[in-house]
Amino acid sequence: MESVLTVRLDNRMKEQGIAVMKRCGYTPSEAVRRLFDYAVKNDDLPFDEREKPSKEEIGRLIAAFDECHTKRPINMTDDEIREARLGERYGSGAR
């Protein structure tokens, strides 16, 4: 039994990719089948791990994390924190 795989790509990326595949002697379907064959046989992918984030992206992520998390110790119990958060979100007396 066969299955169909649908992928969304930018038109420019698609056309450039098809051109590369043609130069290498493959149709898009053949190339995708080879990718899946490789993945199944090797339990891996034939390319490097995902790109590492840039220094700017790392800085942005750290700043976003710091914005969401307190840097000072909290002297409240878990129940007190829960009550405070519920109060902030729904008004006092919310449970």
Side-chain angles (χ1 to χ4, degrees):
M1 176 182 222
E2 290 191 1
S3 181
V4 175
L5 176 68
T6 303
V7 179
R8 293 192 185 279
L9 294 171
D10 175 74
N11 284 332
R12 184 170 167 237
M13 174 77 69
K14 177 185 170 190
E15 295 307 318
Q16 289 177 344
I18 288 172
V20 171
M21 290 173 203
K22 280 184 181 180
R23 281 196 307 272
C24 294
Y26 293 98
T27 66
S29 292
E30 291 168 331
V32 171
R33 278 198 230 42
R34 295 271 323 254
L35 172 64
F36 274 78
D37 286 342
Y38 183 96
V40 170
K41 287 177 186 172
N42 297 284
D43 194 29
D44 198 8
L45 293 174
F47 36 82
D48 294 335
E49 294 180 25
R50 294 182 185 265
E51 291 181 21
K52 294 182 180 177
S54 66
K55 288 182 181 180
E56 293 79 19
E57 178 67 6
I58 291 171
R60 189 189 68 72
L61 292 170
I62 290 171
F65 179 85
D66 287 347
E67 201 173 299
C68 296
H69 294 81
T70 181
K71 294 180 185 178
R72 55 186 157 65
I74 297 175
N75 296 323
M76 298 170 71
T77 66
D78 288 345
D79 288 337
E80 290 170 333
I81 293 170
R82 180 180 176 279
E83 291 294 322
R85 296 279 164 83
L86 287 171
E88 290 170 5
R89 181 174 285 175
Y90 302 111
S92 60
R95 288 184 185 246

